[in-house]
Amino acid sequence: QVQLVESGGGLVQPGGSLRLSCAASGSIFSMNAMGWYRQAPGKQRELVARITSGGRTIYADSVKGRFTISRDNAKNTVYLQMNSLQPEDTDAYYCNIVPPWTNYWGQGTQVTVSS
């Protein structure tokens, strides 16, 4: 059974940083592109960063230059380093394969940017 567990969220002031982690169990990790998604209440979930199995990265324009996605295939873990956080980055953050598989959504981790 595949399980994705996100962690690392929290409350941070504008301009601050957080590092999110997503630990994957099961056999999905090494062969798939992985992504970080975010969703605000009442809005659609959006893909903000993705990384291929070979390490190629793509970012949404809204986070380009501020967020960095990385993966450790030996640990079955994908990370999202978030710098220069702004209030508009406040969302629940989730990881999943790209494109996402419905059954893989985890609980997510909440990021709140506020002074």
Side-chain angles (χ1 to χ4, degrees), residues 60-113:
D61 288 343
S62 58
V63 307
K64 201 173 294 182
R66 300 187 298 123
F67 290 12
T68 302
I69 188 171
S70 60
R71 64 191 295 163
D72 185 334
N73 289 337
K75 296 182 178 180
N76 283 359
T77 302
V78 61
Y79 305 97
L80 186 68
Q81 177 67 43
M82 305 187 296
N83 299 329
S84 302
L85 283 162
Q86 300 301 318
E88 53 265 33
D89 296 315
T90 295
D91 274 323
Y93 285 73
Y94 304 84
C95 68
N96 205 321
I97 61 173
V98 179
W101 186 248
T102 301
N103 291 351
Y104 294 168
W105 291 117
Q107 296 299 308
T109 186
Q110 178 66 37
V111 171
T112 302
V113 185

Side-chain angles (χ1 to χ4, degrees), residues 5-73:
V5 180
E6 302 93 346
S7 63
L11 173 63
V12 63
Q13 292 187 340
S17 298
L18 284 173
R19 188 192 195 206
L20 306 184
S21 298
C22 170
S25 63
S27 60
I28 65 166
F29 189 84
S30 62
M31 299 295 292
N32 286 280
M34 297 296 297
W36 280 98
Y37 302 76
R38 66 185 182 186
Q39 184 174 29
K43 293 189 176 182
Q44 276 198 324
R45 203 165 291 183
E46 64 165 336
L47 176 64
V48 297
R50 58 195 272 178
I51 184 167
T52 67
S53 57
R56 181 172 176 251
T57 58
I58 300 173
Y59 299 93
D61 288 343
S62 58
V63 307
K64 201 173 294 182
R66 300 187 298 123
F67 290 12
T68 302
I69 188 171
S70 60
R71 64 191 295 163
D72 185 334
N73 289 337

